[in-house]
Amino acid sequence: MDDYTMFASGYGFVENNLSSFLVSRLKDSYALSDSFRPARALTLALHDSRRLPDFPHTRASSSFSAVVQLYAPSSQLGTAKVRHRRFHDTLPWCHFGCVAFESVHHIFARCPAFLAIRRAHGVQLCDKTSSLLEGKAADRVREVLERAARRLFSDDAGLWPQHRTRFYMGVLPPLARIVGDMTETEVGVLPLMTWANLRLVMRVPYPRSWTVQR
């Protein structure tokens, strides 16, 4: 053995390349962390890759939607679940009386308190999508996009990767993979969905305890 050999507690002497060993240990540490949830992490590569217009964000009447889309992917919004895990200063249950942990996904996608709002926005988006595509898209494509509009705010396994809606994070489902090659008119549905995402996020009366946790 060399005079100087790296030793790691719980592993022993490091006989292979040190940099490879460190990368491997970091991966193991991350995978074993309580915060590692592959099905819940936002994987952009699985979603629509088109560059969406900036004006829905730069012209938004409320900054809250931008805050949610910026901090939700990194679990930095102060939901009851996050505060309970990090500071133990509150119970993790939903502020609106649900028997469920108050996560960002629960509030925007599952909380019964906002079911009517989600359904109304879904119907409105579906109507706008129908009007845009009427007489300009094949029946099959129109049906698929109308269904996508109606189910955009729901955990739909046939629409969203990982079976979870991510509309509140500012991403869209991979419609091109579902529909195939989209015409210019069909691509026009994407800005409609982006606006709908922002409007719905702004409509949800979030708890006052939601502050950014660093």
Side-chain angles (χ1 to χ4, degrees), residues 185-196:
T185 300
E186 293 161 0
V187 171
V189 170
L190 302 183
L192 289 180
M193 292 183 173
T194 301
W195 273 113

Side-chain angles (χ1 to χ4, degrees), residues 13-131:
F13 290 102
V14 181
E15 300 178 5
N16 59 340
N17 181 276
L18 182 58
S19 61
S20 299
F21 172 77
L22 291 176
V23 170
S24 175
R25 296 295 287 177
L26 285 172
K27 289 180 179 178
D28 291 343
S29 176
Y30 181 61
L32 293 173
S33 171
D34 290 338
S35 63
F36 179 63
R37 298 176 177 86
R40 301 182 187 179
L42 176 63
T43 307
L44 289 175
L46 298 178
H47 297 80
D48 194 272
S49 59
R50 290 183 179 83
R51 176 176 172 80
L52 298 174
D54 294 330
F55 64 86
H57 303 276
T58 58
R59 302 293 182 180
S61 59
S62 170
S63 62
F64 175 64
S65 56
V67 171
V68 170
Q69 293 180 1
L70 180 63
Y71 290 106
S74 57
S75 299
Q76 288 185 281
L77 282 178
T79 62
K81 182 180 179 181
V82 168
R83 295 194 64 86
H84 177 77
R85 187 175 71 245
R86 294 183 180 178
F87 306 112
H88 307 288
D89 62 350
T90 186
L91 294 175
W93 307 110
C94 178
H95 278 77
F96 299 97
C98 306
V99 186
F101 290 160
E102 185 188 273
S103 63
V104 177
H105 185 78
H106 171 76
I107 290 294
F108 287 107
R110 294 183 175 176
C111 186
F114 311 116
L115 177 60
I117 295 177
R118 290 194 297 271
R119 284 180 174 174
H121 277 68
V123 170
Q124 185 181 51
L125 177 59
C126 185
D127 291 342
K128 290 182 177 180
T129 301
S130 298
S131 298

